Amino acid sequence: PYQRNHETMFSLGYFIWIAPALLLAFWAQMKLRSTYANAQQVPARLSGAAAARHILDAAGLHHVGIEPIPGQLSDHYDPRGKVLRLSEGVYGANSAAAVGIAAHEAGHALQDAKQYAPLVVRNLAVPIAGFGDKFSILLLIAGAIMGAPTLIVAGIVCFSAVVAFQLVNLPVEFDASNRA
């Protein structure tokens, strides 16, 4: 009985240790969605796709495609396909949110064209971060339920990889916005 209780306390200690990072991630996601919702109410002269095309053409990137994709806030630049993928709410919308997001994603295409070193590093780290993002919470929960500290540590390592990726990603994101 003592050993099982000690393992449970040990597991809860891990959750308390990573709680600030989880809360920060939750707060950032809520702030992003709130800002997006507010900016959707501000009209713009151009659609997101038109704004992105204007930026890309001005930079001589006529070969970079722009296409709509399903989802919300699923916008991204694909450096392998040389295509900007804008969510339906950004692609055809005439709002400050749509123009801002499309311009930001066009900024990533500009980074790619200039071979911006932090973008290259980020693109190499994407598979590791994707794995950590998918499995960290599952490992943490499974470890807590099963009283398995090894699984909890594995979950923390995966979550730490995601946090490290975000730290590498921050300068890339700020630079993309500045270029836009």
Side-chain angles (χ1 to χ4, degrees):
Y2 172 75
Q3 180 66 25
R4 179 72 179 156
N5 190 25
H6 178 26
E7 287 175 2
T8 302
M9 292 300 290
F10 187 63
S11 300
L12 291 175
Y14 281 120
F15 282 109
I16 291 169
W17 188 72
I18 66 165
L22 291 172
L23 291 172
L24 180 63
F26 177 74
W27 174 82
Q29 189 64 245
M30 297 307 296
K31 184 76 172 153
L32 174 69
R33 291 191 183 278
S34 171
T35 301
Y36 177 70
N38 290 336
Q40 280 183 304
Q41 305 307 312
V42 179
R45 290 188 325 220
L46 297 174
S47 69
R53 182 80 272 151
H54 179 73
I55 292 167
L56 294 171
D57 288 349
L61 300 178
H62 308 287
H63 64 283
V64 174
I66 303 172
E67 59 188 41
I69 57 168
Q72 183 180 22
L73 298 176
S74 54
D75 314 273
H76 64 280
Y77 170 68
D78 176 3
R80 288 180 299 268
K82 305 295 184 214
V83 63
L84 208 64
R85 295 197 173 102
L86 302 176
S87 60
E88 293 161 347
V90 169
Y91 186 88
N94 290 62
S95 70
V99 169
I101 289 170
H104 171 85
E105 295 307 329
H108 287 306
L110 299 176
Q111 289 173 328
D112 184 39
K114 298 288 185 188
Q115 298 177 344
Y116 180 60
L119 179 69
V120 173
V121 172
R122 180 190 84 163
N123 289 343
L124 292 172
V126 165
I128 296 166
F131 176 83
D133 191 39
K134 286 182 179 78
F135 293 104
S136 61
I137 298 300
L138 292 174
L139 289 168
L140 288 166
I141 291 170
I145 290 171
M146 296 169 38
T150 305
L151 286 178
I152 293 171
V153 169
I156 290 172
V157 167
C158 288
F159 186 76
S160 298
V162 173
V163 171
F165 171 78
Q166 292 302 337
L167 291 174
V168 168
N169 195 34
L170 274 176
V172 173
E173 295 302 324
F174 286 134
D175 183 75
S177 291
N178 287 336
R179 288 174 192 261

